[in-house]
Amino acid sequence: MEAFLIETLNEAQRRWLALGLLILLIVIFIITVVWPLVAQSQANQETISNLTTRLQRYRKIAAGKNQVVEKLDVIKASQDQNNQFFKDQSYSLASADLQQLVKDAINQAGGVVTSTQDIAAKSEGQYEQVGIRVQLTANVAALKDLLYKVESTRPMLIIDSMRIRSSKGRYDRKLRKRVPTDQLTITLEVSGYMQHKGV
């Protein structure tokens, strides 16, 4: 039947039919082949643009790496210079240093040490707390000087607790009675920190 329909068409109609079929084939080709290729090309261009932008950002970050490393070195050096932590790598040595620092501060302030005792170490992440309990006698002025000295000492020291009791006084043999005194009995818990090796 189709052949019959085509044969009934004149020459001009056949040409128009052929031209229409050719246009239809071209449109089908564009929709099925060319259009997806163009869309994929545009998607690829967007991806390339995004990756290029990201690459430029990473290059800027990489270029700033030396500055970051230098700043980190400066921070580490200043931390070492500040002497915030005990340099010893063992708790017993750091504890001995802490005892010596506190005893020196007490003696310089005019107090008298009566006893010292280590406090068990406490690990806090990359740091280890080193602590002692010290009992001493001192007057109010000496206590004020002592607190200032402990606060300004390096490595940094912290007074975790402080108990102060007034003294009962001293016994005077001549008067045969207790005589008031300005001496106080003070118990301090003092701690510092030691940085773990390799940090």
Side-chain angles (χ1 to χ4, degrees), residues 101-111 134 136 138 140-153 159 162 186 188:
L101 282 170
V102 173
K103 282 181 181 178
D104 290 347
I106 291 169
N107 291 336
Q108 289 170 12
V134 60
L136 64 131
V140 173
L143 177 59
K144 179 184 70 97
D145 289 345
L146 170 63
L147 295 177
Y148 175 77
K149 286 181 187 307
V150 168
E151 181 184 275
S152 59
T153 297
I159 296 176
M162 178 170 60
I186 304 154
L188 295 175

Side-chain angles (χ1 to χ4, degrees), residues 110-199:
V112 177
V113 176
T114 55
S115 68
T116 58
Q117 176 185 359
D118 283 341
I119 297 174
K122 291 180 193 173
S123 187
E124 296 181 14
Q126 63 183 11
Y127 303 100
E128 190 166 356
Q129 186 180 23
V130 181
I132 62 166
R133 183 177 296 113
V134 60
Q135 190 168 29
L136 64 131
T137 57
N139 60 27
V140 173
L143 177 59
K144 179 184 70 97
D145 289 345
L146 170 63
L147 295 177
Y148 175 77
K149 286 181 187 307
V150 168
E151 181 184 275
S152 59
T153 297
R154 289 293 176 267
M156 184 175 62
L157 301 180
I158 300 164
I159 296 176
D160 296 310
S161 74
M162 178 170 60
R163 288 192 310 257
I164 303 173
R165 290 177 302 170
S166 62
S167 179
K168 294 178 182 177
R170 60 179 180 79
Y171 185 77
D172 190 326
R173 291 185 181 178
K174 291 181 183 176
L175 298 174
R176 295 187 179 185
K177 64 176 186 176
R178 290 202 171 272
V179 177
T181 179
D182 63 348
Q183 293 297 302
L184 304 169
T185 302
I186 304 154
T187 304
L188 295 175
E189 286 187 5
V190 183
S191 64
Y193 285 89
M194 179 174 72
Q195 201 169 17
H196 291 312
K197 192 172 185 178
V199 175

